[in-house]
Amino acid sequence: MFEESRYQSVIKCCALTEDIEKLGGDNIGIGEGGRTLSGGQKFRVTLARALYQDKQIYILDDILSALDAHVAAHIIRYCIFGFLLKKTRVIVSQNKTLL
């Protein structure tokens, strides 16, 4: 069942609000395999899909490699240490800032 408030929270913590606006809304096709999206956008859409499922454990492998510093800081603050605060998070990263 669709939960609007959860959906909006996920969009915000994954820094997708501006991207969705630029694309013309969240009901627009992005091509097979997301071919119209950048690498960072693909990652954030994938992350948003995972977060919306509301699991107890999240394994995040090299999640910051496709993101610029500003977006990475947003994901760290609002997703990893915000939205997922009460979840088990296993994070694999070479990014020393995250650690």
Side-chain angles (χ1 to χ4, degrees):
M1 180 165 76
F2 179 71
E3 296 177 42
E4 179 69 29
S5 63
R6 181 170 188 76
Y7 174 79
Q8 292 302 326
S9 295
V10 167
I11 294 300
K12 288 177 186 174
C13 83
C14 290
L16 285 168
T17 305
E18 187 176 310
D19 298 287
I20 290 171
E21 289 172 6
K22 286 181 182 177
L23 288 169
D26 60 358
N27 198 21
I28 192 159
I30 55 174
E32 185 175 328
R35 68 174 174 240
T36 62
L37 301 177
S38 70
Q41 289 170 322
K42 286 179 188 178
F43 161 73
R44 289 181 288 129
V45 167
T46 301
L47 179 62
R49 287 175 175 165
L51 296 184
Y52 185 79
Q53 293 181 37
D54 194 24
K55 302 297 182 182
Q56 292 302 310
I57 300 172
Y58 290 87
I59 301 173
L60 306 170
D61 185 11
D62 205 16
I63 62 168
L64 304 177
S65 64
L67 304 176
D68 63 39
H70 175 72
V71 175
H74 181 96
I75 297 295
I76 291 168
R77 181 176 181 184
Y78 295 103
C79 179
I80 296 172
F81 295 117
F83 192 83
L84 294 176
L85 186 62
K86 295 184 180 185
K87 305 291 184 172
T88 300
R89 297 152 290 170
V90 177
I91 301 170
V92 178
S93 179
Q94 293 182 9
N95 186 313
K96 293 179 180 159
T97 304
L98 176 60
L99 301 175

